[in-house]
Amino acid sequence: EQINKGKYEHYMQKEIHEQPESLTTTMRGRLIRGGSCKAKTVLLGGLKDHLKTIRRSRRIVFVGCGTSYNAALAARSIVEELSGIPVTMEIASDLVDRQGPIYREDTAVFVSQSGETADTLLALEYALENGALCVGITNTVGSAIARHTHCGVHINAGCEIGVASTKAYTSQIVVMAMLALAIGADTLSNQARREAIIDGLLYLPRKVKEVLKLDKEMKDLAKLLIAEQSLLVFGRGYNYATALEGALKVKEVALMHSEGILAGEMKHGPLALVDENLPIVVIATRDSCFSKQQSVIQQLHARKGRLIVMCAEGDKASVSVGGSSRVIEVPHVVDCLQPVINVVPLQLLAYHLTVLRGYNVDQPRNLAKSVTTQ
Ligand code: AGP
């Protein structure tokens, strides 16, 4: 039943729209609400015997490819914040190419939808040889990564057929947010923050349902962008990963050049590309980077940038620069979960652009769902 397209025309479309349900399944049985005097908490059965070792790690290393890497990047700062442990990021192939340092005191977390990606598996073998504690975060029970890691968490997003990963991405972020909560659960000082995040998780499927109502708006935007050569996506903080992931979606299915740009790097090169023709998405939802993003919007506008600004509901006036710029308003959630909301309009945009441009949505040219060769 899971692999039927149901009422949808394409798997990618179905998988985008089933995110409220896939996220619910990812969290099922893992968030403990707690009674009157009991704190809300997280239970990740696959990690319970290893949490003490993870808490003693000198470093956490996230390893993945493509969308799975982006999901880890989206969760990086909340893991650092709640665990107090430095987190470094590794693209699997690059870790192997460099034979980068991995130590016995490291916890290496391997993120993969399929659990079979050759580069991630090679990086796992390398980390095992170097004595790190290896944790798997996969969507496929019994996959090679699930079998070869010491412990792990299944994301339980359900079968993903479209080559472009969508629902697995949002579920991976949620699993890594739960990982952060579980590692930080013994620290009293961040209890209020943890509870706010757990509340945010509980509301998340409802908020994703709301953001999916932007479908028509994103289709209209796709109609405007149908003939473009290129699209830039600017993000920072929690949403740098959203910029990378949104650009990856547009690139891989709509076959349009697209680049995710760290907004803090704008003046170090990308600003030279800005003119009145190139469309630029700027993610400016509410978090500690909001005022910096407002300033980025002003600077892009001053260079006549063709802006599409994503902001939180009610913030339109704070980000509007007039002219031909457009604003997409999304529901607001707790900062570290906002990437789960913000990626959805970009998934929808990539989907509609692909259909309108007449390309194969579920099987983009030259790509495979699972990259099992190097
Ligand atoms: C995602 O849309 C891509 N198709 C691709 O980047 C993918 O995420 C990457 O190949 C990693 O796959 P995995 O999650 O199965 O390891």
Side-chain angles (χ1 to χ4, degrees):
E1 183 235 345
Q2 244 187 354
I3 52 172
N4 283 335
K5 281 185 227 156
K7 60 177 180 179
Y8 297 102
E9 275 176 63
H10 303 100
Y11 285 114
M12 182 184 180
Q13 184 189 27
K14 173 178 182 265
E15 288 158 5
I16 292 171
H17 284 274
E18 68 191 14
Q19 289 177 104
E21 292 78 42
S22 52
L23 289 167
T24 302
T25 318
T26 297
M27 292 186 274
R28 185 162 295 137
R30 291 168 165 174
L31 297 179
I32 315 297
R33 281 167 191 267
S36 49
C37 53
K38 229 175 125 204
K40 294 171 196 150
T41 182
V42 161
L43 198 72
L44 295 174
L47 294 187
K48 70 177 187 326
D49 297 333
H50 295 85
L51 272 177
K52 272 192 188 151
T53 316
I54 298 174
R55 286 181 188 135
R56 281 199 301 261
S57 312
R58 191 168 79 163
R59 176 175 75 139
I60 294 172
V61 186
F62 275 132
V63 188
C65 305
T67 289
S68 293
Y69 174 89
N70 293 342
L73 185 65
R76 177 191 197 172
S77 47
I78 194 59
V79 175
E80 283 183 328
E81 180 191 331
L82 295 186
S83 71
I85 303 170
V87 177
T88 59
M89 300 296 309
E90 291 285 357
I91 293 176
S93 62
D94 190 49
L95 176 64
V96 174
D97 289 349
R98 288 179 4 254
Q99 298 282 290
I102 296 283
Y103 303 104
R104 293 180 63 80
E105 300 81 6
D106 287 336
T107 293
V109 182
F110 296 84
V111 188
S112 171
Q113 188 285 130
S114 62
E116 302 290 346
T117 299
D119 288 324
T120 313
L121 259 172
L122 278 172
L124 168 58
E125 271 170 35
Y126 173 71
L128 287 168
E129 278 162 21
N130 285 276
L133 174 73
C134 294
V135 180
I137 295 181
T138 82
N139 196 31
T140 316
V141 177
S143 63
I145 290 173
R147 281 184 283 113
H148 292 119
T149 39
H150 296 112
C151 57
V153 188
H154 286 299
I155 69 167
N156 298 339
C159 192
E160 192 178 65
I161 309 279
V163 165
S165 186
T166 52
K167 63 175 183 171
Y169 178 73
T170 48
S171 283
Q172 283 167 335
I173 297 175
V174 161
V175 161
M176 286 179 269
M178 292 193 291
L179 172 70
L181 290 162
I183 302 173
D186 64 339
T187 316
L188 214 61
S189 60
N190 60 26
Q191 189 170 319
R193 171 77 162 145
R194 287 201 314 273
E195 290 189 15
I197 296 169
I198 293 176
D199 283 340
L201 286 168
L202 292 166
Y203 279 115
L204 202 54
R206 214 176 307 165
K207 297 284 183 177
V208 171
K209 208 172 261 177
E210 275 175 42
V211 76
L212 282 165
K213 292 182 189 151
L214 291 174
D215 191 35
K216 160 104 181 35
E217 199 173 324
M218 300 320 291
K219 187 173 180 180
D220 292 343
L221 180 60
K223 283 179 190 159
L224 278 181
L225 300 179
I226 183 170
E228 296 302 333
Q229 303 280 339
S230 187
L231 175 73
L232 300 187
V233 189
F234 277 57
R236 71 196 311 151
Y238 291 113
N239 287 292
Y240 173 41
T242 314
L244 294 182
E245 179 57 12
L248 177 58
K249 290 293 87 106
V250 169
K251 187 179 327 190
E252 76 175 323
V253 287
L255 315 189
M256 181 189 286
H257 170 257
S258 186
E259 227 183 299
I261 291 178
L262 183 67
E265 283 286 285
M266 179 179 72
K267 292 180 185 161
H268 304 285
L271 200 52
L273 293 171
V274 179
D275 62 14
E276 62 276 33
N277 300 315
L278 176 67
I280 304 174
V281 176
V282 183
I283 303 168
T285 42
R286 285 274 170 179
D287 58 24
S288 59
C289 297
F290 181 62
S291 60
K292 289 182 184 172
Q293 284 302 75
Q294 283 179 303
S295 156
V296 162
I297 292 166
Q298 293 300 336
Q299 293 176 58
L300 291 170
H301 179 62
R303 271 99 187 159
K304 300 190 170 40
R306 211 176 131 196
L307 303 184
I308 301 147
V309 179
M310 185 188 295
C311 70
E313 271 159 6
D315 267 348
K316 198 169 182 168
S318 317
V319 298
S320 288
V321 281
S324 60
S325 74
R326 292 173 72 101
V327 176
I328 305 162
E329 287 183 87
V330 298
H332 176 69
V333 295
V334 64
D335 54 8
C336 64
L337 300 178
Q338 194 68 48
V340 172
I341 300 296
N342 293 357
V343 78
V344 174
L346 301 177
Q347 294 172 341
L348 290 167
L349 176 65
Y351 169 75
H352 288 300
L353 267 177
T354 311
V355 175
L356 292 167
R357 283 158 72 93
Y359 296 123
N360 188 331
V361 180
D362 289 327
Q363 184 52 73
R365 71 178 182 206
N366 308 336
L367 297 182
K369 178 67 183 159
S370 177
V371 185
T372 53
T373 53
Q374 271 187 287

Coordinates of all heavy atoms in Angstrom, one line a residue, residues 150-229:
H150 N 27.5 0.2 15.6 CA 27.4 -0.3 17.0 C 26.0 -0.2 17.5 O 25.5 -1.0 18.3 CB 28.4 0.3 18.0 CG 29.8 0.1 17.6 ND1 30.6 1.1 17.2 CD2 30.6 -1.0 17.6 CE1 31.8 0.7 16.9 NE2 31.8 -0.6 17.2
C151 N 25.3 0.9 17.1 CA 24.0 1.2 17.6 C 23.3 2.2 16.7 O 24.0 2.6 15.7 CB 24.0 1.7 19.0 SG 25.0 3.2 19.2
G152 N 22.1 2.5 16.9 CA 21.5 3.5 15.9 C 20.0 3.7 16.2 O 19.4 3.2 17.1
V153 N 19.5 4.6 15.3 CA 18.1 4.9 15.3 C 17.5 4.8 13.9 O 18.1 5.3 13.0 CB 17.9 6.4 15.8 CG1 16.5 6.7 16.0 CG2 18.8 6.7 17.0
H154 N 16.4 4.1 13.8 CA 15.7 4.1 12.5 C 14.9 5.3 12.4 O 14.2 5.7 13.3 CB 14.9 2.8 12.4 CG 15.7 1.6 12.2 ND1 16.6 1.4 11.1 CD2 15.9 0.5 12.9 CE1 17.2 0.3 11.2 NE2 16.8 -0.3 12.3
I155 N 14.8 5.9 11.2 CA 14.0 7.1 11.1 C 12.6 6.8 10.8 O 11.7 7.7 11.0 CB 14.6 8.1 10.0 CG1 14.4 7.6 8.6 CG2 16.0 8.5 10.3 CD1 14.7 8.7 7.6
N156 N 12.2 5.6 10.4 CA 10.8 5.2 10.3 C 10.0 6.1 9.4 O 8.8 6.4 9.8 CB 10.2 5.0 11.6 CG 10.9 3.9 12.5 OD1 11.5 3.1 11.9 ND2 10.7 4.0 13.8
A157 N 10.5 6.7 8.4 CA 9.8 7.6 7.5 C 8.9 6.9 6.5 O 8.1 7.5 5.8 CB 10.7 8.6 6.8
G158 N 9.0 5.6 6.4 CA 8.3 4.8 5.4 C 9.1 4.8 4.1 O 10.0 5.6 3.9
C159 N 8.7 3.9 3.3 CA 9.5 3.7 2.0 C 9.5 4.9 1.2 O 8.5 5.6 0.9 CB 8.7 2.6 1.3 SG 9.6 1.9 -0.1
E160 N 10.7 5.3 0.7 CA 10.8 6.5 -0.1 C 11.3 6.0 -1.5 O 12.3 5.4 -1.7 CB 11.9 7.5 0.5 CG 11.9 8.8 -0.2 CD 12.9 9.8 0.4 OE1 14.1 9.5 0.3 OE2 12.5 10.8 1.0
I161 N 10.4 6.3 -2.5 CA 10.7 5.8 -3.9 C 11.3 6.9 -4.8 O 12.2 6.6 -5.6 CB 9.3 5.4 -4.6 CG1 8.5 4.5 -3.7 CG2 9.5 4.8 -5.9 CD1 9.0 3.0 -3.7
G162 N 10.8 8.1 -4.7 CA 11.4 9.2 -5.5 C 12.9 9.3 -5.3 O 13.3 9.3 -4.2
V163 N 13.6 9.5 -6.4 CA 15.1 9.7 -6.2 C 15.4 10.9 -5.4 O 16.3 10.8 -4.6 CB 15.7 9.7 -7.6 CG1 17.2 10.2 -7.5 CG2 15.7 8.4 -8.3
A164 N 14.6 11.9 -5.5 CA 14.8 13.1 -4.7 C 14.3 12.8 -3.3 O 13.1 12.5 -3.1 CB 14.1 14.3 -5.2
S165 N 15.2 12.9 -2.3 CA 14.8 12.6 -0.9 C 14.0 13.8 -0.3 O 14.5 14.9 -0.4 CB 16.0 12.3 -0.1 OG 15.7 11.8 1.2
T166 N 12.9 13.5 0.2 CA 12.1 14.6 0.8 C 11.6 14.3 2.2 O 12.1 14.8 3.2 CB 10.8 14.9 -0.1 OG1 10.1 13.6 -0.3 CG2 11.2 15.5 -1.4
K167 N 10.8 13.2 2.3 CA 10.3 12.9 3.7 C 11.4 12.3 4.5 O 11.4 12.5 5.8 CB 9.1 12.0 3.6 CG 9.3 10.6 3.0 CD 8.1 9.8 3.1 CE 8.3 8.4 2.6 NZ 7.2 7.4 2.8
A168 N 12.4 11.7 3.9 CA 13.5 11.1 4.7 C 14.3 12.3 5.3 O 14.7 12.2 6.5 CB 14.4 10.2 3.9
Y169 N 14.4 13.4 4.6 CA 15.2 14.5 5.1 C 14.6 15.1 6.3 O 15.3 15.3 7.3 CB 15.2 15.6 4.0 CG 15.9 16.9 4.4 CD1 17.3 16.9 4.5 CD2 15.2 18.0 4.6 CE1 18.0 18.1 4.8 CE2 15.9 19.2 5.0 CZ 17.2 19.2 5.1 OH 17.9 20.4 5.4
T170 N 13.3 15.3 6.3 CA 12.7 16.0 7.5 C 12.7 15.0 8.7 O 12.9 15.4 9.8 CB 11.2 16.5 7.2 OG1 10.5 15.4 6.5 CG2 11.3 17.7 6.3
S171 N 12.5 13.7 8.4 CA 12.5 12.7 9.5 C 14.0 12.6 10.1 O 14.1 12.4 11.3 CB 12.0 11.4 9.0 OG 10.6 11.4 9.0
Q172 N 15.0 12.7 9.2 CA 16.3 12.6 9.7 C 16.6 13.8 10.6 O 17.2 13.6 11.7 CB 17.3 12.7 8.5 CG 17.4 11.4 7.7 CD 18.2 11.6 6.4 OE1 18.2 12.6 5.8 NE2 18.7 10.5 5.9
I173 N 16.2 15.0 10.3 CA 16.4 16.2 11.2 C 15.7 15.9 12.5 O 16.3 16.2 13.6 CB 15.9 17.5 10.5 CG1 16.6 17.8 9.2 CG2 16.0 18.6 11.5 CD1 16.0 19.0 8.5
V174 N 14.5 15.4 12.5 CA 13.8 15.1 13.7 C 14.5 14.1 14.6 O 14.7 14.2 15.8 CB 12.3 14.7 13.4 CG1 11.7 14.0 14.6 CG2 11.5 16.0 13.0
V175 N 15.0 13.0 13.9 CA 15.8 12.0 14.7 C 17.0 12.7 15.3 O 17.3 12.4 16.5 CB 16.2 10.8 13.8 CG1 17.3 10.0 14.4 CG2 14.9 9.9 13.6
M176 N 17.7 13.5 14.6 CA 18.9 14.1 15.1 C 18.6 15.1 16.2 O 19.4 15.3 17.2 CB 19.8 14.7 14.1 CG 20.5 13.5 13.3 SD 21.5 14.0 12.0 CE 20.4 14.0 10.6
A177 N 17.4 15.8 16.1 CA 17.0 16.7 17.2 C 16.7 15.8 18.5 O 17.1 16.2 19.6 CB 15.8 17.5 16.8
M178 N 16.1 14.6 18.2 CA 15.9 13.8 19.4 C 17.2 13.2 20.0 O 17.3 13.0 21.2 CB 14.9 12.6 19.0 CG 13.5 13.1 18.7 SD 12.3 11.8 18.5 CE 12.7 10.9 17.1
L179 N 18.1 13.0 19.1 CA 19.4 12.5 19.5 C 20.1 13.6 20.4 O 20.6 13.3 21.5 CB 20.4 12.3 18.3 CG 21.8 12.0 18.6 CD1 22.0 10.6 19.2 CD2 22.6 12.0 17.3
A180 N 20.0 14.9 20.0 CA 20.5 16.0 20.8 C 19.8 16.0 22.2 O 20.4 16.2 23.2 CB 20.2 17.3 20.1
L181 N 18.5 15.8 22.2 CA 17.7 15.8 23.4 C 18.1 14.7 24.3 O 18.3 14.8 25.6 CB 16.2 15.7 23.2 CG 15.6 16.9 22.5 CD1 14.2 16.5 21.9 CD2 15.4 18.0 23.5
A182 N 18.4 13.5 23.7 CA 18.8 12.3 24.5 C 20.2 12.5 25.1 O 20.4 12.2 26.3 CB 18.7 11.1 23.6
I183 N 21.1 13.1 24.3 CA 22.4 13.2 24.9 C 22.4 14.3 26.0 O 23.1 14.1 27.0 CB 23.4 13.7 23.7 CG1 23.5 12.6 22.6 CG2 24.8 13.8 24.3 CD1 24.3 13.1 21.4
G184 N 21.6 15.3 25.8 CA 21.6 16.4 26.8 C 20.7 16.2 27.9 O 20.6 17.1 28.8
A185 N 20.1 15.0 28.0 CA 19.0 14.8 29.0 C 19.5 14.8 30.4 O 18.7 15.0 31.4 CB 18.3 13.5 28.7
D186 N 20.8 14.6 30.7 CA 21.3 14.6 32.0 C 21.7 16.0 32.5 O 22.3 16.2 33.6 CB 22.5 13.6 32.2 CG 23.7 14.0 31.3 OD1 23.5 14.8 30.4 OD2 24.8 13.5 31.6
T187 N 21.5 17.0 31.7 CA 21.9 18.4 32.1 C 20.7 19.2 32.5 O 19.8 19.5 31.7 CB 22.6 19.1 30.8 OG1 23.5 18.2 30.2 CG2 23.4 20.3 31.2
L188 N 20.8 19.6 33.8 CA 19.6 20.3 34.3 C 19.4 21.7 33.7 O 18.3 22.2 33.5 CB 19.8 20.4 35.9 CG 18.5 20.3 36.7 CD1 17.8 19.0 36.5 CD2 18.8 20.5 38.1
S189 N 20.6 22.3 33.4 CA 20.5 23.7 33.0 C 19.8 24.0 31.7 O 19.3 25.0 31.5 CB 22.0 24.3 32.9 OG 22.6 23.5 31.9
N190 N 19.7 22.9 30.8 CA 19.0 23.2 29.6 C 17.6 22.5 29.6 O 17.0 22.3 28.5 CB 19.8 22.8 28.4 CG 20.2 21.3 28.4 OD1 19.5 20.5 29.0 ND2 21.3 21.0 27.7
Q191 N 17.0 22.2 30.7 CA 15.8 21.5 30.8 C 14.6 22.3 30.1 O 13.8 21.7 29.4 CB 15.4 21.1 32.2 CG 14.2 20.2 32.3 CD 14.0 19.6 33.6 OE1 14.9 19.3 34.3 NE2 12.7 19.6 34.1
A192 N 14.5 23.6 30.4 CA 13.5 24.4 29.8 C 13.6 24.4 28.3 O 12.6 24.2 27.6 CB 13.5 25.8 30.3
R193 N 14.8 24.5 27.8 CA 15.0 24.5 26.3 C 14.6 23.1 25.8 O 14.0 23.1 24.7 CB 16.5 24.8 26.1 CG 17.0 24.6 24.7 CD 16.6 25.8 23.8 NE 17.4 25.8 22.6 CZ 16.9 26.2 21.4 NH1 15.7 26.6 21.3 NH2 17.7 26.2 20.3
R194 N 15.0 22.1 26.4 CA 14.6 20.7 26.0 C 13.1 20.5 25.9 O 12.6 20.0 24.9 CB 15.3 19.6 26.8 CG 16.8 19.5 26.7 CD 17.2 18.1 27.2 NE 16.7 17.7 28.5 CZ 17.2 18.0 29.6 NH1 18.3 18.7 29.7 NH2 16.6 17.6 30.7
E195 N 12.5 21.0 26.9 CA 11.0 20.9 26.9 C 10.3 21.7 25.8 O 9.4 21.3 25.2 CB 10.4 21.2 28.3 CG 10.8 20.2 29.4 CD 10.2 20.4 30.7 OE1 9.2 21.2 30.8 OE2 10.6 19.8 31.7
A196 N 10.9 22.9 25.5 CA 10.4 23.7 24.5 C 10.5 23.0 23.1 O 9.7 23.0 22.2 CB 11.1 25.0 24.4
I197 N 11.7 22.3 23.0 CA 11.9 21.6 21.7 C 11.0 20.3 21.6 O 10.4 20.1 20.5 CB 13.4 21.1 21.6 CG1 14.3 22.4 21.5 CG2 13.6 20.2 20.4 CD1 15.8 22.1 21.7
I198 N 10.8 19.7 22.7 CA 9.8 18.5 22.7 C 8.4 19.0 22.3 O 7.7 18.4 21.5 CB 9.9 17.7 24.0 CG1 11.2 17.1 24.2 CG2 8.8 16.7 24.1 CD1 11.5 16.4 25.5
D199 N 8.0 20.1 22.9 CA 6.7 20.7 22.6 C 6.7 21.0 21.1 O 5.7 20.7 20.4 CB 6.4 22.0 23.3 CG 6.0 21.7 24.8 OD1 5.5 20.6 25.0 OD2 6.2 22.7 25.6
G200 N 7.8 21.6 20.6 CA 7.9 21.9 19.1 C 7.8 20.6 18.3 O 7.1 20.7 17.2
L201 N 8.4 19.6 18.7 CA 8.3 18.3 18.0 C 6.8 17.8 17.9 O 6.4 17.3 16.9 CB 9.2 17.2 18.6 CG 10.7 17.4 18.4 CD1 11.5 16.5 19.3 CD2 11.1 17.2 17.0
L202 N 6.2 17.9 19.1 CA 4.8 17.4 19.1 C 3.9 18.2 18.2 O 2.9 17.6 17.6 CB 4.3 17.4 20.6 CG 5.0 16.5 21.6 CD1 4.7 16.8 23.0 CD2 4.6 15.0 21.2
Y203 N 4.2 19.5 18.0 CA 3.3 20.3 17.1 C 3.7 20.2 15.7 O 3.0 20.7 14.8 CB 3.5 21.8 17.5 CG 2.6 22.2 18.7 CD1 3.1 22.6 19.9 CD2 1.2 22.2 18.6 CE1 2.3 22.9 21.0 CE2 0.4 22.5 19.6 CZ 0.9 22.9 20.8 OH 0.1 23.2 21.9
L204 N 4.9 19.7 15.4 CA 5.5 19.7 14.1 C 4.6 19.2 13.0 O 4.5 19.8 11.9 CB 6.9 19.1 14.1 CG 7.9 19.5 13.0 CD1 8.1 21.0 13.0 CD2 9.2 18.8 13.3
P205 N 4.1 18.0 13.1 CA 3.2 17.5 12.0 C 2.1 18.4 11.6 O 1.8 18.6 10.4 CB 2.7 16.1 12.6 CG 3.7 15.7 13.6 CD 4.2 17.0 14.2
R206 N 1.5 19.0 12.6 CA 0.4 20.0 12.4 C 0.9 21.2 11.6 O 0.3 21.7 10.7 CB -0.2 20.5 13.7 CG -1.6 20.7 13.7 CD -2.2 21.1 15.0 NE -1.8 20.2 16.1 CZ -1.9 20.4 17.4 NH1 -2.4 21.6 17.8 NH2 -1.6 19.5 18.3
K207 N 2.1 21.7 12.0 CA 2.7 22.8 11.3 C 3.1 22.5 9.8 O 3.1 23.3 9.0 CB 3.9 23.3 12.1 CG 3.6 23.8 13.5 CD 2.9 25.2 13.4 CE 2.6 25.7 14.8 NZ 2.1 27.1 14.8
V208 N 3.6 21.2 9.6 CA 3.9 20.8 8.3 C 2.7 20.7 7.4 O 2.7 21.1 6.2 CB 4.7 19.5 8.3 CG1 4.9 18.9 6.9 CG2 6.1 19.7 9.0
K209 N 1.6 20.3 8.0 CA 0.3 20.3 7.3 C 0.0 21.7 6.8 O -0.5 21.9 5.7 CB -0.8 19.7 8.2 CG -1.9 19.0 7.5 CD -2.9 18.4 8.4 CE -2.6 16.9 8.5 NZ -3.4 16.2 9.4
E210 N 0.2 22.7 7.7 CA -0.1 24.1 7.4 C 0.8 24.5 6.2 O 0.3 25.2 5.3 CB 0.2 25.0 8.6 CG -1.0 25.1 9.5 CD -0.6 25.9 10.7 OE1 0.1 27.0 10.6 OE2 -0.9 25.5 11.9
V211 N 2.1 24.2 6.3 CA 3.0 24.8 5.3 C 2.7 24.1 3.9 O 2.9 24.7 2.9 CB 4.5 24.7 5.7 CG1 5.0 23.3 5.6 CG2 5.3 25.6 4.9
L212 N 2.2 22.9 3.9 CA 1.8 22.3 2.7 C 0.7 23.0 1.9 O 0.6 22.8 0.7 CB 1.4 20.8 2.9 CG 2.6 19.8 3.2 CD1 2.1 18.5 3.8 CD2 3.4 19.6 1.9
K213 N 0.0 23.9 2.6 CA -1.0 24.7 1.9 C -0.4 25.7 1.0 O -1.1 26.3 0.2 CB -1.9 25.4 3.0 CG -2.7 24.4 3.8 CD -3.6 25.2 4.8 CE -4.3 24.2 5.7 NZ -4.6 24.8 7.0
L214 N 0.9 25.8 1.0 CA 1.6 26.7 0.1 C 1.7 26.1 -1.3 O 2.3 26.7 -2.2 CB 3.0 27.1 0.6 CG 3.0 28.0 1.8 CD1 4.4 28.2 2.3 CD2 2.4 29.4 1.5
D215 N 1.2 24.9 -1.5 CA 1.4 24.2 -2.8 C 1.1 25.1 -4.0 O 1.9 25.2 -4.9 CB 0.5 22.9 -2.7 CG 0.9 22.0 -3.9 OD1 2.1 21.9 -4.3 OD2 0.0 21.3 -4.4
K216 N -0.1 25.7 -4.0 CA -0.5 26.5 -5.1 C 0.4 27.7 -5.4 O 0.8 28.0 -6.5 CB -2.0 26.9 -4.9 CG -2.5 28.0 -5.7 CD -3.4 27.6 -6.8 CE -4.0 28.7 -7.7 NZ -3.2 29.8 -8.0
E217 N 0.7 28.3 -4.2 CA 1.6 29.5 -4.3 C 3.0 29.1 -4.9 O 3.6 29.8 -5.7 CB 1.8 30.0 -2.9 CG 2.3 31.4 -2.8 CD 2.3 32.0 -1.4 OE1 1.4 31.6 -0.6 OE2 3.3 32.7 -1.1
M218 N 3.5 27.9 -4.6 CA 4.8 27.5 -5.1 C 4.6 27.1 -6.6 O 5.6 27.2 -7.3 CB 5.3 26.3 -4.2 CG 5.6 26.7 -2.8 SD 6.3 28.3 -2.5 CE 7.9 28.2 -3.1
K219 N 3.5 26.6 -6.9 CA 3.3 26.2 -8.3 C 3.3 27.5 -9.2 O 3.9 27.6 -10.2 CB 1.9 25.5 -8.5 CG 1.7 25.0 -9.9 CD 0.5 24.1 -10.0 CE 0.3 23.6 -11.4 NZ -0.9 22.8 -11.6
D220 N 2.6 28.6 -8.6 CA 2.6 29.9 -9.3 C 4.0 30.4 -9.4 O 4.4 31.0 -10.5 CB 1.7 30.9 -8.6 CG 0.2 30.5 -8.7 OD1 -0.1 29.6 -9.5 OD2 -0.6 31.0 -7.8
L221 N 4.8 30.3 -8.4 CA 6.2 30.7 -8.4 C 7.0 30.0 -9.5 O 7.8 30.5 -10.2 CB 6.8 30.6 -7.0 CG 8.3 31.0 -6.9 CD1 8.4 32.5 -7.2 CD2 8.8 30.8 -5.4
A222 N 6.7 28.6 -9.5 CA 7.4 27.8 -10.5 C 7.1 28.3 -11.9 O 8.0 28.3 -12.8 CB 7.0 26.3 -10.3
K223 N 5.9 28.7 -12.1 CA 5.5 29.2 -13.5 C 6.3 30.4 -13.8 O 6.7 30.5 -15.0 CB 4.0 29.5 -13.5 CG 3.1 28.3 -13.6 CD 1.6 28.7 -13.6 CE 0.7 27.5 -13.4 NZ -0.6 27.8 -13.0
L224 N 6.6 31.2 -12.8 CA 7.4 32.4 -13.1 C 8.9 32.1 -13.4 O 9.5 32.8 -14.1 CB 7.4 33.3 -11.9 CG 6.2 34.3 -11.7 CD1 6.4 35.1 -10.4 CD2 6.1 35.2 -12.9
L225 N 9.3 31.0 -12.8 CA 10.7 30.7 -12.9 C 11.1 29.6 -13.9 O 12.2 29.3 -14.1 CB 11.2 30.2 -11.5 CG 11.1 31.1 -10.3 CD1 11.6 30.5 -9.0 CD2 11.8 32.4 -10.5
I226 N 10.0 29.2 -14.6 CA 10.2 28.0 -15.5 C 11.3 28.1 -16.5 O 12.0 27.1 -16.7 CB 8.8 27.7 -16.2 CG1 8.9 26.5 -17.1 CG2 8.4 28.9 -17.1 CD1 7.6 26.1 -17.6
A227 N 11.6 29.3 -17.0 CA 12.6 29.4 -18.0 C 14.0 29.9 -17.5 O 14.9 30.2 -18.3 CB 12.1 30.4 -19.1
E228 N 14.1 30.0 -16.2 CA 15.4 30.5 -15.7 C 16.5 29.5 -15.8 O 16.3 28.3 -15.9 CB 15.2 30.9 -14.2 CG 14.2 31.9 -13.8 CD 14.6 33.3 -14.5 OE1 15.7 33.5 -14.8 OE2 13.6 34.1 -14.8
Q229 N 17.7 30.1 -15.9 CA 18.9 29.2 -16.0 C 19.4 28.9 -14.6 O 20.1 27.9 -14.5 CB 20.0 30.0 -16.7 CG 19.7 30.6 -18.0 CD 19.8 29.5 -19.1 OE1 20.5 28.5 -18.8 NE2 19.2 29.6 -20.2

